Amino acid sequence: MKTTSSKRPAAWLARVLLALTTAAFVLASSAPAQAHDSLESSTPADGSTVSAMPAKIELTFDHTPIAINSIVRVEDATGTDQADGPVQILDNQVSQPVKPGAPEGKYTVVWRVVSSDGHPIEGTFTFTAGGPNTAPATSAAAATPAAAASSGLPGQLVVVGIIAAVLVIGLVLAGVVIRHRLRNPEGEG
């Protein structure tokens, strides 16, 4: 009889783990599939010619990128980066101030942001400025709090956290029940 009693906690644990694994699989598969964000538009537009170098470059995405490790390089014809200060993110708009006095000519914008699903995305586009930049960009200090406020956890990270929490709680409960049954093998009190 004692052999049967010692096998019960193992069988019970196996059933609990199977139920938790099934629940985790159902939760993970029911999470909405998220594709990487995509660039919807830019100012200046790709391939366009503008009369003067703008004070900032703006990128508009279909979702709000995460405000970490974002880079926007504004390279002139010599390869010099004319970006001035940090990238600013407000909602789905990413902007990069440009140095005052940036010269006229052809520019290549090289960007990299972290998509709202947590994956990095990148791209390039070109435009031509017919004159130098004369207007200063808006203050980077004023945009920094908004950029920080727009960052959030990707949806998949939250789902993974919930699944992990359910599994940990289940394992702790299984351990408590097994310990109780091992101390009281005959099902006493």
Side-chain angles (χ1 to χ4, degrees), residues 81-95:
D81 187 8
Q82 296 293 334
D84 187 27
V87 172
Q88 302 164 5
I89 299 177
L90 181 60
D91 297 325
N92 65 333
Q93 187 98 21
V94 175
S95 61

Side-chain angles (χ1 to χ4, degrees), residues 114-162:
V114 177
S115 180
S116 62
D117 68 359
H119 293 93
I121 55 174
E122 57 190 32
T124 61
F125 66 92
T126 61
F127 69 94
T128 303
N133 177 357
T134 56
T138 57
S139 169
T144 302
S150 70
S151 66
L153 290 176
Q156 289 181 340
L157 188 59
V158 172
V159 171
V160 169
I162 291 170

Side-chain angles (χ1 to χ4, degrees), residues 71-76 78-84 96 99:
I71 299 169
V72 178
R73 291 183 51 88
V74 185
E75 298 175 355
D76 63 19
T78 67
T80 302
D81 187 8
Q82 296 293 334
D84 187 27
Q96 174 62 61
K99 293 176 185 173

Side-chain angles (χ1 to χ4, degrees), residues 43-60:
T43 304
D46 186 19
S48 68
T49 299
V50 293
S51 60
M53 184 64 178
K56 64 182 175 178
I57 305 299
E58 296 178 321
L59 308 170
T60 303

Side-chain angles (χ1 to χ4, degrees), residues 9 14 17-19 22 31-32 34 42 50 54 60 64 77 104 107 122 125 128 135 145 149-150 172:
L17 289 176
L18 178 63
T22 302
Q34 294 181 340
S42 64
V50 293
T60 303
T64 302
E104 64 182 276
Y107 282 84
E122 57 190 32
F125 66 92
T128 303
S150 70
V172 168

Side-chain angles (χ1 to χ4, degrees), residues 1-6 186:
M1 289 268 190
K2 194 167 189 155
T3 308
T4 309
S5 172
S6 65
E186 301 300 321

